[in-house]
Amino acid sequence: MSEETRKQENKETMEMPEGTRKQASKETMEMPEGTRKQEIREAMGAGACALASLRAAQKKLESARQWGIVDLFGGGLISDLFKHSRMNEAAGCMEAATRALPRCRKELGDVEIPMNLRIEVSSFLSFADVFFDNPISDYMVQTRIAEAREQVREAISYVEALMVELKQMGSIN
């Protein structure tokens, strides 16, 4: 999948139909007050968890990017190992965020929370990057890191917007 196709797919899935949030808010408003507040608190907790995981992924990807730059300029095996370690850690954080987001969706009703978070580095590319350690494989891995950083940046913006909406829902009496 090309980078442009992936960006377009992420943008399309990040956008929500106009009336969907209003519908979810209406359904939430029909709940008893105590239940509604509890549901919103739970959704905000899940959103905060997702946001923390996304921010951790962002830091890990930045570290991987920096190690990748070192690797491009002849860092060798050590920089490869650190870079791939940070990439694996970032992937774990991204998975944690992906698991937390459905709990927000529960509160927002039928609103789809589309997160396509993944860092795509094939096992062959990882092998080639470490074994052959050449500028071409280093550059290809750097490209994958940049794509993942963009996905995480967009996801953080999206979850922050969801959190604002949840806070507004919680303040409506």
Side-chain angles (χ1 to χ4, degrees):
M1 181 181 298
S2 75
E3 178 181 346
E4 201 56 40
T5 305
R6 190 175 295 111
K7 283 183 181 179
Q8 183 61 33
E9 178 182 292
N10 281 341
K11 282 186 180 184
E12 287 172 2
T13 58
M14 292 283 190
E15 297 170 4
M16 291 187 203
E18 183 58 35
T20 309
R21 289 185 178 187
K22 292 177 185 171
Q23 175 187 356
S25 297
K26 182 181 176 189
E27 290 169 1
T28 302
M29 299 305 269
E30 293 173 359
M31 289 182 185
E33 182 67 21
T35 304
R36 182 173 75 78
K37 293 258 187 208
Q38 179 63 28
E39 291 291 319
I40 291 171
R41 276 193 298 273
E42 289 173 7
M44 288 181 72
C49 180
L51 212 46
S53 294
L54 289 168
R55 288 188 176 131
Q58 189 175 43
K59 287 179 183 176
K60 298 294 182 183
L61 288 169
E62 177 58 23
S63 178
R65 184 189 72 81
Q66 291 170 352
W67 279 108
I69 291 170
V70 170
D71 196 29
L72 274 167
F73 293 103
L77 179 63
I78 298 298
S79 61
D80 276 333
L81 295 176
F82 274 108
K83 174 177 60 177
H84 285 280
S85 173
R86 296 307 179 273
M87 290 167 57
N88 290 337
E89 291 167 358
C93 292
M94 293 161 76
E95 288 173 20
T98 301
R99 285 191 305 269
L101 288 170
R103 291 182 285 181
C104 286
R105 181 175 54 216
K106 176 183 171 194
E107 174 54 33
L108 293 172
D110 294 332
V111 174
E112 184 66 29
I113 298 178
M115 290 292 130
N116 192 11
L117 298 173
R118 64 185 175 278
I119 186 165
E120 292 182 19
V121 178
S122 70
S123 55
F124 175 75
L125 182 56
S126 292
F127 168 77
D129 185 38
V130 174
F131 186 74
F132 297 118
D133 196 29
N134 64 53
I136 294 170
S137 62
D138 292 343
Y139 175 77
M140 291 173 68
V141 172
Q142 279 297 95
T143 301
R144 299 306 189 277
I145 293 170
E147 290 169 357
R149 288 179 70 220
E150 180 62 19
Q151 288 176 4
V152 168
R153 187 194 62 72
E154 289 175 0
I156 288 171
S157 295
Y158 186 79
V159 173
E160 286 173 342
L162 284 175
M163 295 294 286
V164 166
E165 183 158 339
L166 285 167
K167 284 178 186 174
Q168 290 173 349
M169 289 171 65
S171 65
I172 297 171
N173 290 324

Tab-separated table of all heavy atoms in Angstrom, residues 64-99:
chain	number	residue	atom	x	y	z
A	64	ALA	N	13.319	6.029	17.830
A	64	ALA	CA	13.652	5.149	16.703
A	64	ALA	C	14.123	5.977	15.508
A	64	ALA	O	15.078	5.602	14.819
A	64	ALA	CB	12.437	4.312	16.314
A	65	ARG	N	13.475	7.117	15.281
A	65	ARG	CA	13.872	8.000	14.170
A	65	ARG	C	15.297	8.489	14.382
A	65	ARG	O	16.121	8.480	13.459
A	65	ARG	CB	12.916	9.182	14.068
A	65	ARG	CG	13.206	10.109	12.879
A	65	ARG	CD	12.390	11.392	12.935
A	65	ARG	NE	12.848	12.287	13.984
A	65	ARG	CZ	13.901	13.104	13.870
A	65	ARG	NH1	14.603	13.130	12.764
A	65	ARG	NH2	14.242	13.878	14.874
A	66	GLN	N	15.604	8.889	15.604
A	66	GLN	CA	16.946	9.391	15.893
A	66	GLN	C	17.999	8.298	15.725
A	66	GLN	O	19.076	8.532	15.161
A	66	GLN	CB	16.993	9.990	17.301
A	66	GLN	CG	16.194	11.277	17.392
A	66	GLN	CD	16.026	11.777	18.822
A	66	GLN	OE1	16.378	11.088	19.788
A	66	GLN	NE2	15.492	12.977	18.961
A	67	TRP	N	17.685	7.091	16.213
A	67	TRP	CA	18.620	5.984	16.019
A	67	TRP	C	18.750	5.648	14.533
A	67	TRP	O	19.815	5.242	14.072
A	67	TRP	CB	18.195	4.750	16.819
A	67	TRP	CG	18.596	4.843	18.256
A	67	TRP	CD1	17.771	5.052	19.322
A	67	TRP	CD2	19.919	4.759	18.781
A	67	TRP	NE1	18.502	5.104	20.479
A	67	TRP	CE2	19.833	4.926	20.184
A	67	TRP	CE3	21.173	4.565	18.213
A	67	TRP	CZ2	20.955	4.893	21.011
A	67	TRP	CZ3	22.281	4.536	19.043
A	67	TRP	CH2	22.170	4.692	20.417
A	68	GLY	N	17.655	5.818	13.796
A	68	GLY	CA	17.703	5.581	12.354
A	68	GLY	C	18.616	6.564	11.637
A	68	GLY	O	19.313	6.196	10.685
A	69	ILE	N	18.605	7.805	12.090
A	69	ILE	CA	19.509	8.803	11.501
A	69	ILE	C	20.961	8.426	11.781
A	69	ILE	O	21.814	8.476	10.884
A	69	ILE	CB	19.178	10.217	12.035
A	69	ILE	CG1	17.821	10.669	11.478
A	69	ILE	CG2	20.274	11.214	11.655
A	69	ILE	CD1	17.261	11.923	12.113
A	70	VAL	N	21.225	8.000	13.016
A	70	VAL	CA	22.576	7.533	13.355
A	70	VAL	C	22.945	6.364	12.442
A	70	VAL	O	24.058	6.304	11.903
A	70	VAL	CB	22.656	7.115	14.845
A	70	VAL	CG1	23.962	6.396	15.152
A	70	VAL	CG2	22.479	8.327	15.741
A	71	ASP	N	21.990	5.456	12.240
A	71	ASP	CA	22.237	4.284	11.405
A	71	ASP	C	22.517	4.671	9.949
A	71	ASP	O	23.373	4.078	9.295
A	71	ASP	CB	21.042	3.334	11.483
A	71	ASP	CG	21.361	1.952	10.965
A	71	ASP	OD1	22.532	1.530	11.050
A	71	ASP	OD2	20.425	1.284	10.491
A	72	LEU	N	21.806	5.664	9.447
A	72	LEU	CA	22.035	6.129	8.069
A	72	LEU	C	23.472	6.614	7.865
A	72	LEU	O	24.027	6.491	6.775
A	72	LEU	CB	21.074	7.256	7.709
A	72	LEU	CG	19.709	6.846	7.188
A	72	LEU	CD1	18.757	8.031	7.178
A	72	LEU	CD2	19.815	6.232	5.811
A	73	PHE	N	24.043	7.164	8.912
A	73	PHE	CA	25.397	7.697	8.806
A	73	PHE	C	26.439	6.740	9.367
A	73	PHE	O	27.477	7.155	9.883
A	73	PHE	CB	25.478	9.073	9.493
A	73	PHE	CG	24.684	10.109	8.772
A	73	PHE	CD1	23.453	10.520	9.253
A	73	PHE	CD2	25.138	10.647	7.577
A	73	PHE	CE1	22.705	11.464	8.580
A	73	PHE	CE2	24.399	11.593	6.887
A	73	PHE	CZ	23.176	12.005	7.387
A	74	GLY	N	26.129	5.432	9.291
A	74	GLY	CA	27.114	4.422	9.641
A	74	GLY	C	27.096	3.956	11.079
A	74	GLY	O	28.131	3.540	11.604
A	75	GLY	N	25.951	3.987	11.706
A	75	GLY	CA	25.847	3.587	13.111
A	75	GLY	C	26.113	2.117	13.377
A	75	GLY	O	26.497	1.735	14.470
A	76	GLY	N	25.884	1.269	12.399
A	76	GLY	CA	26.184	-0.143	12.554
A	76	GLY	C	25.152	-0.924	13.348
A	76	GLY	O	24.011	-0.505	13.534
A	77	LEU	N	25.588	-2.056	13.836
A	77	LEU	CA	24.714	-3.018	14.504
A	77	LEU	C	24.053	-2.441	15.755
A	77	LEU	O	22.855	-2.656	15.981
A	77	LEU	CB	25.505	-4.278	14.867
A	77	LEU	CG	24.730	-5.377	15.584
A	77	LEU	CD1	23.618	-5.913	14.678
A	77	LEU	CD2	25.661	-6.493	16.008
A	78	ILE	N	24.789	-1.698	16.544
A	78	ILE	CA	24.238	-1.159	17.796
A	78	ILE	C	23.054	-0.233	17.501
A	78	ILE	O	21.997	-0.350	18.121
A	78	ILE	CB	25.328	-0.406	18.600
A	78	ILE	CG1	26.461	-1.347	18.989
A	78	ILE	CG2	24.723	0.273	19.822
A	78	ILE	CD1	26.055	-2.489	19.896
A	79	SER	N	23.217	0.671	16.552
A	79	SER	CA	22.113	1.589	16.239
A	79	SER	C	20.931	0.822	15.648
A	79	SER	O	19.771	1.165	15.918
A	79	SER	CB	22.570	2.708	15.299
A	79	SER	OG	23.034	2.187	14.080
A	80	ASP	N	21.211	-0.220	14.853
A	80	ASP	CA	20.132	-1.070	14.323
A	80	ASP	C	19.331	-1.693	15.456
A	80	ASP	O	18.096	-1.686	15.441
A	80	ASP	CB	20.691	-2.196	13.450
A	80	ASP	CG	20.956	-1.783	12.022
A	80	ASP	OD1	20.279	-0.855	11.543
A	80	ASP	OD2	21.840	-2.394	11.396
A	81	LEU	N	20.035	-2.236	16.427
A	81	LEU	CA	19.363	-2.906	17.537
A	81	LEU	C	18.537	-1.931	18.360
A	81	LEU	O	17.395	-2.231	18.719
A	81	LEU	CB	20.383	-3.640	18.408
A	81	LEU	CG	21.115	-4.805	17.717
A	81	LEU	CD1	22.169	-5.389	18.642
A	81	LEU	CD2	20.140	-5.864	17.255
A	82	PHE	N	19.084	-0.755	18.654
A	82	PHE	CA	18.324	0.241	19.402
A	82	PHE	C	17.111	0.713	18.599
A	82	PHE	O	16.023	0.865	19.143
A	82	PHE	CB	19.207	1.439	19.781
A	82	PHE	CG	19.969	1.239	21.046
A	82	PHE	CD1	21.343	1.031	21.024
A	82	PHE	CD2	19.326	1.251	22.278
A	82	PHE	CE1	22.051	0.843	22.198
A	82	PHE	CE2	20.026	1.059	23.456
A	82	PHE	CZ	21.402	0.853	23.414
A	83	LYS	N	17.312	0.956	17.320
A	83	LYS	CA	16.220	1.428	16.462
A	83	LYS	C	15.078	0.413	16.445
A	83	LYS	O	13.914	0.778	16.670
A	83	LYS	CB	16.749	1.663	15.037
A	83	LYS	CG	15.678	2.026	14.020
A	83	LYS	CD	16.269	2.320	12.650
A	83	LYS	CE	17.010	1.135	12.093
A	83	LYS	NZ	17.544	1.367	10.742
A	84	HIS	N	15.390	-0.844	16.214
A	84	HIS	CA	14.345	-1.871	16.145
A	84	HIS	C	13.707	-2.120	17.512
A	84	HIS	O	12.505	-2.395	17.590
A	84	HIS	CB	14.892	-3.162	15.528
A	84	HIS	CG	15.077	-3.039	14.044
A	84	HIS	ND1	14.025	-3.158	13.163
A	84	HIS	CD2	16.168	-2.741	13.307
A	84	HIS	CE1	14.473	-2.958	11.939
A	84	HIS	NE2	15.774	-2.703	11.997
A	85	SER	N	14.487	-1.984	18.564
A	85	SER	CA	13.925	-2.118	19.903
A	85	SER	C	12.887	-1.023	20.147
A	85	SER	O	11.784	-1.287	20.638
A	85	SER	CB	15.051	-2.031	20.937
A	85	SER	OG	14.511	-2.009	22.239
A	86	ARG	N	13.220	0.220	19.798
A	86	ARG	CA	12.268	1.331	19.980
A	86	ARG	C	11.043	1.153	19.093
A	86	ARG	O	9.924	1.479	19.501
A	86	ARG	CB	12.933	2.678	19.685
A	86	ARG	CG	14.055	3.072	20.607
A	86	ARG	CD	13.648	3.021	22.080
A	86	ARG	NE	14.731	3.378	22.951
A	86	ARG	CZ	15.656	2.539	23.431
A	86	ARG	NH1	15.621	1.265	23.106
A	86	ARG	NH2	16.602	2.961	24.243
A	87	MET	N	11.237	0.628	17.901
A	87	MET	CA	10.101	0.379	17.016
A	87	MET	C	9.165	-0.661	17.614
A	87	MET	O	7.938	-0.505	17.578
A	87	MET	CB	10.593	-0.058	15.629
A	87	MET	CG	11.262	1.064	14.856
A	87	MET	SD	12.179	0.504	13.403
A	87	MET	CE	10.926	-0.335	12.488
A	88	ASN	N	9.724	-1.718	18.183
A	88	ASN	CA	8.903	-2.755	18.820
A	88	ASN	C	8.166	-2.206	20.032
A	88	ASN	O	6.992	-2.524	20.260
A	88	ASN	CB	9.769	-3.951	19.216
A	88	ASN	CG	10.257	-4.742	18.017
A	88	ASN	OD1	9.658	-4.700	16.948
A	88	ASN	ND2	11.365	-5.429	18.188
A	89	GLU	N	8.842	-1.377	20.818
A	89	GLU	CA	8.190	-0.761	21.972
A	89	GLU	C	7.049	0.154	21.523
A	89	GLU	O	5.972	0.170	22.135
A	89	GLU	CB	9.212	0.028	22.792
A	89	GLU	CG	10.227	-0.852	23.492
A	89	GLU	CD	11.419	-0.081	24.044
A	89	GLU	OE1	11.503	1.158	23.867
A	89	GLU	OE2	12.288	-0.729	24.656
A	90	ALA	N	7.279	0.917	20.456
A	90	ALA	CA	6.235	1.804	19.919
A	90	ALA	C	5.044	0.987	19.434
A	90	ALA	O	3.888	1.356	19.666
A	90	ALA	CB	6.788	2.659	18.780
A	91	ALA	N	5.316	-0.137	18.784
A	91	ALA	CA	4.234	-0.993	18.293
A	91	ALA	C	3.390	-1.491	19.471
A	91	ALA	O	2.158	-1.535	19.381
A	91	ALA	CB	4.793	-2.168	17.499
A	92	GLY	N	4.028	-1.835	20.571
A	92	GLY	CA	3.292	-2.265	21.766
A	92	GLY	C	2.412	-1.158	22.320
A	92	GLY	O	1.262	-1.388	22.704
A	93	CYS	N	2.933	0.055	22.338
A	93	CYS	CA	2.138	1.206	22.806
A	93	CYS	C	0.955	1.460	21.880
A	93	CYS	O	-0.152	1.777	22.336
A	93	CYS	CB	3.016	2.453	22.880
A	93	CYS	SG	4.293	2.396	24.150
A	94	MET	N	1.175	1.334	20.584
A	94	MET	CA	0.114	1.545	19.611
A	94	MET	C	-0.990	0.498	19.781
A	94	MET	O	-2.175	0.798	19.683
A	94	MET	CB	0.687	1.541	18.187
A	94	MET	CG	1.596	2.747	17.936
A	94	MET	SD	2.718	2.563	16.539
A	94	MET	CE	1.628	2.799	15.165
A	95	GLU	N	-0.596	-0.741	20.063
A	95	GLU	CA	-1.583	-1.800	20.302
A	95	GLU	C	-2.387	-1.518	21.571
A	95	GLU	O	-3.596	-1.733	21.605
A	95	GLU	CB	-0.881	-3.156	20.413
A	95	GLU	CG	-0.364	-3.675	19.089
A	95	GLU	CD	0.478	-4.934	19.238
A	95	GLU	OE1	0.365	-5.628	20.279
A	95	GLU	OE2	1.250	-5.219	18.313
A	96	ALA	N	-1.719	-1.024	22.608
A	96	ALA	CA	-2.419	-0.694	23.853
A	96	ALA	C	-3.455	0.401	23.602
A	96	ALA	O	-4.580	0.330	24.115
A	96	ALA	CB	-1.422	-0.254	24.922
A	97	ALA	N	-3.099	1.398	22.810
A	97	ALA	CA	-4.046	2.472	22.475
A	97	ALA	C	-5.221	1.918	21.691
A	97	ALA	O	-6.382	2.274	21.950
A	97	ALA	CB	-3.348	3.565	21.680
A	98	THR	N	-4.949	1.043	20.761
A	98	THR	CA	-6.005	0.453	19.946
A	98	THR	C	-6.978	-0.356	20.811
A	98	THR	O	-8.178	-0.357	20.562
A	98	THR	CB	-5.395	-0.434	18.845
A	98	THR	OG1	-4.524	0.384	18.045
A	98	THR	CG2	-6.456	-1.038	17.953
A	99	ARG	N	-6.467	-1.022	21.850
A	99	ARG	CA	-7.339	-1.789	22.754
A	99	ARG	C	-8.181	-0.875	23.641
A	99	ARG	O	-9.299	-1.219	24.013
A	99	ARG	CB	-6.506	-2.732	23.623
A	99	ARG	CG	-5.983	-3.942	22.889
A	99	ARG	CD	-5.388	-4.965	23.849
A	99	ARG	NE	-4.356	-4.412	24.711
A	99	ARG	CZ	-3.055	-4.390	24.423
A	99	ARG	NH1	-2.628	-4.880	23.279
A	99	ARG	NH2	-2.187	-3.875	25.270
